[in-house]
């Protein structure tokens, strides 16, 4: 009973805003995780639960922003459950939309093709979202390793994709739901300036299909910057399926509003080229790491 006021005080949550790019990243956990990670006093009774919860997050790279957030975030930066529910709802909606687009095989027109003919970008106008681009190709590697690279280790994207300048996980809501920030490089030989994006980013599996979907979301802790145009993603996704024992079928669905005054033909050409560049860069990266991966190491061991 003497400890009860102290527990009540420490379990209260601050609503103060979090400055962008602070030394820690905001994280929201379920009530069960909050009790174990932020217990204000040592507790033998709760120690087993705490060890279980810590172990559940060990699949993240030890030096990543994700693991640092999970283990080091002060309780004062935890967000309200209402925000979690909003992001969960938005994630459900984007998965539903992506699945509908993915299964739609009617009236797509070829927008671009790689020089070797392996990577093809199709496009189609949808009444609700406007023009959506869909790239399909085959890439090396097993599905789970590719999914890990593109979702859990997306902060490393700038290391293998020339289209991305910076990628950060701002908040981990749970294992399959992040809030992310991405800054792109200039496109079309500098005609299209850098853009940044804040997305709700979710991972789902439908049958044997892995869907890594993203869509623009409101996130007050990362407001638009004066020196960079904030773009907005509509339903966007990487979709990874097993092709055979050594390769995957990779589909990229892209719907984006770049904002600003840009000719539509330039936007269309730029977005199609971005998809071709990502496919080529991802394939080359996976090919380079294939020998190390086959020796028993994972992708996480070879990213430095």
């Amino acid at each position: 009973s003497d400890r009860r006021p102290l527990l009540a005080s420490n379990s209260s949550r601050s609503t103060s805003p979090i400055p962008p790019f602070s030394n820690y990243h905001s994280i929201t956990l379920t009530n069960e995780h909050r009790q174990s990670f932020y217990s204000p006093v040592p507790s033998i009774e709760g120690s087993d639960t705490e060890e279980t919860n810590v172990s559940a997050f060990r699949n993240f790279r030890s030096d990543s922003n994700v693991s640092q957030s999970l283990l080091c975030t002060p309780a004062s930066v935890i967000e309200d459950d209402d925000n979690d529910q909003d992001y969960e709802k938005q994630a459900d909606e984007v998965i539903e939309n992506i699945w509908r687009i993915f299964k739609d095989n009617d009236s797509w027109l070829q927008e671009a093709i790689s020089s070797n003919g392996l990577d093809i970008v199709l496009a189609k106008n949808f009444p609700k979202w406007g023009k959506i681009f869909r790239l399909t190709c085959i890439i090396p590697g097993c599905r789970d390793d590719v999914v890990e690279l593109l979702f859990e280790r997306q902060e490393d994207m700038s290391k293998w994709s020339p289209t991305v300048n910076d990628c950060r996980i701002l908040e981990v809501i749970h294992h399959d739901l992040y809030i992310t920030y991405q800054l792109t490089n200039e496109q079309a030989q500098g005609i299209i300036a850098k853009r940044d994006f804040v997305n709700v980013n979710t991972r789902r599996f439908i049958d044997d299909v892995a869907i890594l979907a993203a869509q623009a979301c409101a996130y007050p802790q990362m407001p638009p910057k004066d020196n960079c145009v904030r773009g907005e993603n509509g339903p966007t996704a990487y979709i990874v399926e097993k092709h055979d024992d050594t390769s995957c079928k990779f589909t990229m669905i892209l719907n984006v509003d770049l904002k600003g005054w840009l000719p539509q033909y330039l936007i269309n050409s730029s977005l199609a080229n971005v998809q071709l560049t990502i496919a080529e860069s991802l394939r080359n990266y996976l090919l380079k790491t294939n020998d190390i991966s086959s020796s028993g190491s994972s992708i996480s061991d070879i990213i430095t």
Side-chain angles (χ1 to χ4, degrees), residues 135-303:
L135 171 139
T136 304
C137 65
I138 302 298
I139 57 174
C142 72
R143 187 199 68 174
D144 290 347
D145 279 352
V146 174
V147 168
E148 177 185 343
L149 175 65
L150 295 176
F151 190 75
E152 293 174 7
R153 307 190 186 283
Q154 60 186 281
E155 290 185 329
D156 294 309
M157 190 174 182
S158 62
K159 297 179 181 179
W160 58 264
S161 174
T163 66
V164 175
N165 182 283
D166 187 23
C167 185
R168 306 192 185 196
I169 297 171
L170 300 176
E171 183 174 333
V172 177
I173 296 175
H174 57 65
H175 269 195
D176 296 317
L177 186 60
Y178 301 164
I179 305 300
T180 61
Y181 172 85
Q182 190 174 108
L183 175 66
T184 64
N185 287 316
E186 295 178 344
Q187 303 295 329
Q189 299 180 336
I191 298 175
I192 300 177
K194 293 179 180 181
R195 297 290 196 272
D196 68 354
F197 302 84
V198 174
N199 296 319
V200 57
N201 198 294
T202 187
R203 169 175 54 185
R204 303 285 177 87
F205 294 88
I206 301 178
D207 298 327
D208 292 327
V209 180
I211 303 174
L212 314 177
Q215 185 167 290
C217 69
Y219 193 72
Q221 293 92 329
M222 184 59 72
K225 303 177 183 180
D226 293 336
N227 61 349
C228 187
V229 177
R230 173 66 51 88
E232 289 186 5
N233 281 118
T236 296
Y238 300 129
I239 300 172
V240 188
E241 306 168 83
K242 180 180 177 180
H243 178 64
D244 55 32
D245 290 340
T246 60
S247 62
C248 298
K249 180 181 178 182
F250 176 73
T251 302
M252 180 180 178
I253 293 173
L254 180 63
N255 176 245
V256 60
D257 183 355
L258 293 176
K259 304 296 183 180
W261 297 96
L262 296 169
Q264 191 61 46
Y265 78 89
L266 186 61
I267 294 175
N268 293 345
S269 174
S270 174
L271 295 180
N273 285 329
V274 163
Q275 288 191 301
L276 292 176
T277 299
I278 289 176
E280 181 181 8
S281 301
L282 180 59
R283 181 185 296 110
N284 290 340
Y285 179 80
L286 292 170
L287 284 171
K288 288 179 181 178
T289 59
N290 195 36
D291 290 341
I292 301 178
S293 296
S294 62
S295 68
S297 300
S298 66
I299 289 179
S300 60
D301 297 322
I302 53 183
I303 295 180

Side-chain angles (χ1 to χ4, degrees), residues 7 10-14 26-41 46 49-50 53-54 57 70 73-85 171-174:
L7 288 169
N10 282 330
S11 63
S12 62
R13 296 180 294 170
S14 169
S26 169
I27 174 173
T28 304
L29 301 175
T30 63
N31 288 332
E32 177 186 357
H33 291 151
R34 287 193 188 101
Q35 292 168 4
S36 58
F37 276 100
Y38 304 112
S39 176
V41 292
T49 303
E50 180 173 4
N53 286 331
V54 172
F57 293 108
L70 288 168
T73 304
S76 60
V77 303
I78 301 177
E79 296 299 312
D80 293 335
D81 289 337
D82 289 345
N83 289 342
D84 291 4
Q85 294 171 5
E171 183 174 333
V172 177
I173 296 175
H174 57 65

